[in-house]
Amino acid sequence: MTLSTQELEQVRATFPDYPARLENGRIILSPPLSLPFTPHDLERVQATFDDYGMELRRGRIMIMSPCIVNCGGMASAIARSNFGFALMNWVKTGSDHPLGYVLGRCGWILPNGDVIEPDNCFIHAERMRDYMRQNGLTKLPESYPELVPDLVMECCCCTEAETDPSSYQKAKLQMLKAMGIPVGIFIEPEIEQTVTVYQQGQPEMVLRDGDILTIPELLPGWELPIAELWET
């Protein structure tokens, strides 16, 4: 689902000092001066429009469709849910102790200062504990942690497949791979029903019905038949 001119005007009325425009169905909010937006600025805008997905890219704030079922169509919502449930269930029960955290729509500060908010991600419990210890935290951080997840999943919206060929999400995964993220996954549930896997030191791998997604280097023993992503 793309954002509308009415939503653009709402953003402009709320933040009149910030230039805003529609671009590929998203609202791009630019800083009023030459200084780029910071993660703190993103948190302030997110608090005002908390139903919307947001990211900080190259000093600008990108506002995306609300996190609701019809964002991207029912097939996208089902695929996101099935992937997250399958991974979360295995992470919690696949060993004597939970291996880590499976999170959806959670912001992460990257080494270049950008903030991403993937559809789903996984981070090892040990890495999160180290981050909490280094920052004097006794519980999971409430603000964006300065961490790159171990796995990021993006699910294509039907509007992007029709008008943008998923270029934004794929470019994000390629950027994360360049930053050293171990695994990126792109799910296209609407047209081709494929899963593209990005891994360090390996070429892109495209999976279809009949294939099984495995990530032995990161999640040894986990298997997800691709066909299960589309099941209702």
Side-chain angles (χ1 to χ4, degrees):
M1 182 177 68
T2 60
L3 299 183
S4 65
T5 54
Q6 182 178 358
E7 289 168 305
L8 174 62
E9 292 307 317
Q10 183 181 2
V11 170
R12 285 173 170 169
T14 306
F15 298 100
D17 295 332
Y18 299 160
R21 70 179 190 277
L22 275 173
E23 182 179 299
N24 291 327
R26 308 175 184 90
I27 295 174
I28 308 299
L29 204 59
S30 300
L33 303 174
S34 58
L35 294 176
F37 281 129
T38 67
H40 176 74
D41 296 319
L42 179 63
E43 287 183 330
R44 187 162 60 89
V45 176
Q46 182 81 74
T48 305
F49 296 95
D50 59 353
D51 288 336
Y52 289 77
M54 294 191 191
E55 294 189 333
L56 180 64
R57 300 295 300 276
R58 300 183 181 90
R60 301 179 303 169
I61 293 174
M62 184 172 294
I63 304 175
M64 296 168 285
S65 300
C67 310
I68 55 179
V69 168
N70 67 344
C71 173
M74 185 63 72
S76 293
I78 290 171
R80 283 195 297 268
S81 177
N82 287 347
F83 180 90
F85 177 80
L87 181 55
M88 182 178 295
N89 184 60
W90 186 86
V91 165
K92 286 186 174 181
T93 63
S95 64
D96 294 336
H97 304 285
L99 297 176
Y101 301 92
V102 179
L103 304 166
R105 291 294 188 180
C106 175
W108 304 84
I109 301 178
L110 304 179
N112 66 355
D114 285 356
V115 177
I116 61 164
E117 190 181 80
D119 288 332
N120 263 295
C121 60
F122 166 79
I123 186 165
H124 269 294
E126 183 178 351
R127 289 189 64 214
M128 181 60 78
R129 284 194 296 267
D130 288 343
Y131 176 83
M132 293 168 60
R133 183 168 53 252
Q134 292 166 7
N135 290 274
L137 301 175
T138 58
K139 59 180 181 179
L140 292 175
E142 297 182 0
S143 58
Y144 307 126
E146 295 186 41
L147 280 172
V148 177
D150 294 297
L151 179 150
V152 164
M153 184 278 283
E154 292 283 345
C155 188
C156 178
C157 293
C158 61
T159 53
E160 289 173 320
E162 292 164 0
T163 64
D164 188 25
S166 316
S167 60
Y168 174 74
Q169 290 173 302
K170 288 184 176 179
K172 182 200 300 187
L173 291 171
Q174 290 164 352
M175 174 194 70
L176 291 172
K177 182 179 179 181
M179 287 185 177
I181 185 172
V183 180
I185 294 174
F186 179 74
I187 300 176
E188 200 296 285
E190 297 281 353
I191 300 174
E192 298 179 350
Q193 289 194 328
T194 58
V195 175
T196 304
V197 183
Y198 302 81
Q199 287 186 273
Q200 290 297 323
Q202 299 184 28
E204 296 176 15
M205 178 172 57
V206 179
L207 304 177
R208 295 176 172 81
D209 281 359
D211 295 327
I212 297 177
L213 173 63
T214 62
I215 313 172
E217 298 85 356
L218 180 65
L219 301 169
W222 183 55
E223 295 185 349
L224 176 60
I226 300 303
E228 292 185 4
L229 289 172
W230 332 124
E231 293 179 355
T232 59

